[in-house]
Amino acid sequence: MTQSIMPAVRCDRNAAEVARYYVEAFRDATVVEELPGVVEIHGYRILLIDGGDEHSVNPSISGLLNFDPAAFGGEQEAVRYLDELYERLSGGGVLMPLQEYPFSRRYAWVRDDLGFTWQLMLTDPDGDPRPFLTPSFMFGGIADGWAEPATNEWLRLFDGSERGNLVRYEAGAPVAEGSVMFTDFRLKDQWFAAMDAGDFHDFTFTPGVSMMVLCRDQAEIDRYWEVLSTVPEAEACGWCVDRWGVSWQVVPHDIAVLMADEVTRDTILRMRRIDLAELQDERPEGMR
C-alpha cells in the first residue's frame, strides 16, 4: 500500500528494542531495512524515534486493531489472535479489560511495555471494511470536544479524504450530548479514527506521538504547513503543532535518505519549515 502519513512514536532511546518487541508480538511484522526505525505491521508502517523521555506517549493517540473475522478465516481465528495480542501487548497495564461492550462482543484497551496503547476490537464482518491497524485520536483534557472540528479541518486539508462513520453521544450519557463517541475518516490514502474523551481523562496530545506527512514537493509542504503549524515555538526541522494540539512532521517523501546524509541532516535540523530549494544544492550527487 501507499502510505503518505506515518505515525511516529517516540521511544526512550530504545527504538531498536521496541522494534524487536513488535516484530515478536504480531504475526505479520517486520523491520523495514531501507527505512531505519520503521516497523511494518500487517502492511502498515510506524516510525519509532529514538528520543528522551521529555515527551512520553499517552493514550491520546492509540493503535486501533480491527479483528475482522472475514480477514482471519472466521471468528474463531480472529478471537484467537485478539487474545494472543492482548497477552503480548498488555505489559504496561490494562485501561479497559477484555470483555463484551455495547460496541463490540470482544474488546480491550491495553498499554504495552513502551507505554503506547492499543485498542483490540472484534469487528462485524458485515460492516464497512477497514485496515487491521488504524491510528485513533482521543480528544481529552483541554482538547475535549474538538474531535469533530479537528477532523473536519483535516478532511478539508488533505486530498482524497472522506468521512466514514460518525456516532454521537446522546442526552443522558456521561459525556456532553453531541460529542463524538466514534468517527472514522480517510486522509489521502489511509484510515484514522477519533473520539471525544469527556471528563474521563485529563491528558491530551504530546509530541510523544506525531503524524509524519510525506510530501511530494515544496508546494505540498507549504500547503500543509500553513494549516497545521499554529504554534511558532513548536516549529523545528519540519515539526509543528496544530490548533488542536496534535504534532505533525511535514517533510519530503525522501526524508529517510536526507537524514542519513550528514550534510543534509544538519541543514534540516537548522530549519523550521523544510525548504527543498535550500536542500537541493546540498544533496549528495546521486540524489539531485
Side-chain angles (χ1 to χ4, degrees), residues 8 54 72 87 90 92 95 120 141 157 172 180 185 192 197-198 209 214 220 233 259 266:
E54 66 273 19
F72 289 98
E87 295 298 326
S90 58
L95 282 70
L120 288 64
L157 176 61
V180 174
F185 53 97
F192 299 84
V209 182
L214 302 174
E220 196 169 36
E233 58 269 26
M259 293 299 287
D266 289 346

Side-chain angles (χ1 to χ4, degrees), residues 130-206:
R130 293 291 184 266
F132 175 68
L133 199 166
T134 304
S136 179
F137 299 85
M138 182 168 66
F139 288 77
I142 61 172
D144 179 42
W146 292 351
E148 187 170 8
T151 54
N152 281 341
E153 180 171 87
W154 301 340
L155 287 165
R156 288 191 298 268
L157 176 61
F158 290 96
D159 294 329
S161 300
E162 65 172 304
R163 173 85 66 186
N165 302 290
L166 177 58
V167 182
R168 303 179 188 277
Y169 284 100
E170 298 180 352
V175 177
E177 181 180 359
S179 296
V180 174
M181 178 186 297
F182 176 83
T183 184
D184 59 0
F185 53 97
R186 185 167 61 86
L187 303 179
K188 294 175 75 71
D189 46 37
Q190 62 209 79
W191 285 92
F192 299 84
M195 69 184 83
D196 286 312
D199 297 329
F200 293 107
H201 307 287
D202 59 1
F203 51 78
T204 188
F205 305 109
T206 77

